Every structure is written in structure tokens, then in C-alpha cells.
Amino acid sequence: MSWKWYERHVLPWLVDLACSVRPVRRQRRKVVPLAKGRVLEIGIGTGLNLEHYDKARIERLVGLDPGLEMHPQARRRSRRAAIEVELVGLSAERIPYDDGSFDTVMVTYSLCTIGDPLSALKEMRRVLRPGGRLIFCEHGRAPDARVRRWQERLTPLWSTLAGGCHLDRDIPRLLAQAGFRSDDMQQMYLPGPRPLTYNYWGTAVAAPAAAPDRQS
């Protein structure tokens, strides 16, 4: 079995299976219905969020994902959910939309696989309108030192097998570095192996620029 065959035919199925287990579905139900207006979903993958959107609140939905092999499944889920989505086969480090194009950016279980998550988050901030919200739900760096050590040990192999997924990304730090502020972030372990299941979720807005220091 070639690696390209694995990435094209096996990996999308594995990702879809892992990202649709019951605890993860519950997390999606917490955040996805919050989206409203013009929505950009980062890493739409096979479209697992589509059934959770509140269609009455959505004016436009764009799904960004470089994994073209997952787009057919996303289209099927779009039809089942009766929600129209525009699929764009690009990664989030360079989002092909103007500043302030969206009211909501949705990202769930995708920051772990983006090659440069900080650049991607800065792009998400750029395309949000003033006052727009980033809605996020991600797994990442655990608070317990023993679990973090296992995340660091497992990530090289895990990343190879799981489409670039990193187990130990520091989600709060990445958000802050990208210029976001979250006042409602929640975090906890979901059921399952602890190195894989520490979750962060909530909403974030662009933090106001710091006032320059005044010297007397």
C-alpha cells in the first residue's frame, strides 16, 4: 500500500470516524449553532459540523479545506443537512478573501493539523469584520505534566499517521499570539485517552491594540 493511496483512501475515513465519536459530537453541538451571518469554516473536512448549524442564522457558508479528497463527503452532508456550502480547496495560512469579509469564523479540530497555525489564526482575524467572532473547539496541550510528556512523545508518530495532527498545541497561547481575546474559554478532558482528549472551546474576538507607552 503506497502512502499516497493511504492519504487518499484510508486517512479521510479514519479522520471522519475519529471526529464523529459521541464526545466530539457533543462538543460540536455546543459551539456550531452559535455561528451567524457570513460564516467561514476552517478545515471543514468531511462536513461533520454541517448538521449542527442553525440555518435560520446563516447568510452564507464557506468551507475551507485543502483536503480535496474529503470534499465529496462534505457535499453529501451538505445535501442531507439542506444547507448550502461553498467549498474552497485551500489551507488557512492564506485565506483568499478580503479583510472583514465574515461575521463568524468557525474552527473545530483543525488547528492541530494546520502547518502554521499562528499564521492561519492571524488570517482568520483579518477576514473577520470588526466585532466578528471566532468560534473554536480544539484539542491540545494538557495541563498535567505527565500527560504533556506523553503528548510530546506520541506526536511525531501520531502526526504521520493522522494527517499532520499535533497533540500538544497550546491553544490559548496561539489565540493570544494571533491577537484574539477569549472571555468564555472552557477546557476539560473528554472521555478517552488523555493525551488525545484535552479540549478547549469558546468564542474569541480581536483584542484591542495596546495603547503606546507614554513617557513623561
Side-chain angles (χ1 to χ4, degrees), residues 130-206:
R133 290 196 301 175
L134 173 72
I135 300 173
F136 62 92
C137 184
E138 296 287 336
H139 72 88
R141 181 178 170 88
D144 305 292
R146 182 179 179 184
V147 178
R148 286 200 304 272
R149 287 194 293 271
W150 273 108
Q151 288 179 323
E152 291 163 2
R153 291 177 190 136
L154 291 170
T155 286
L157 177 59
W158 179 261
S159 180
T160 300
L161 296 175
C165 176
H166 293 69
L167 299 173
D168 55 354
R169 287 194 165 158
D170 190 334
I171 302 302
R173 183 181 180 190
L174 283 168
L175 289 172
Q177 288 178 329
F180 282 107
R181 186 191 74 239
S182 177
D183 296 326
D184 62 0
M185 184 186 298
Q186 300 182 64
Q187 49 191 288
M188 71 175 186
Y189 289 104
L190 301 188
R194 288 199 155 197
L196 281 65
T197 59
Y198 197 74
N199 268 225
Y200 299 86
W201 71 97
T203 64
V205 297

Side-chain angles (χ1 to χ4, degrees), residues 111-122:
L111 288 177
C112 59
T113 61
I114 294 173
D116 186 346
L118 181 56
S119 292
L121 281 165
K122 288 179 178 178

Side-chain angles (χ1 to χ4, degrees), residues 14-111:
L14 290 176
V15 170
D16 188 78
L17 181 66
C19 291
S20 59
V21 296
R22 184 176 299 174
V24 173
R25 292 201 308 272
R26 285 199 296 264
Q27 291 297 94
R28 295 182 191 277
R29 286 197 294 267
K30 292 176 184 178
V31 298
V32 176
L34 301 175
K36 64 179 181 179
R38 298 160 299 166
V39 180
L40 173 65
E41 181 173 336
I42 302 296
I44 193 170
T46 58
L48 289 167
N49 282 338
L50 292 172
E51 65 177 302
H52 302 298
Y53 281 104
D54 181 347
K55 289 178 286 187
R57 292 163 56 92
I58 305 300
E59 297 174 18
R60 179 190 183 195
L61 177 59
V62 177
L64 195 74
D65 200 299
L68 301 181
E69 66 279 359
M70 293 188 276
H71 287 199
Q73 178 72 307
R75 290 191 185 96
R76 288 192 288 272
R77 286 199 165 109
S78 170
R79 291 192 291 270
R80 287 201 296 269
I83 184 168
E84 185 176 347
V85 59
E86 305 167 39
L87 294 174
V88 179
L90 297 172
S91 189
E93 289 94 341
R94 300 186 73 177
I95 298 174
Y97 294 96
D98 294 335
D99 297 2
S101 293
F102 295 94
D103 304 293
T104 304
V105 172
M106 176 74 62
V107 58
T108 62
Y109 302 105
S110 294
L111 288 177

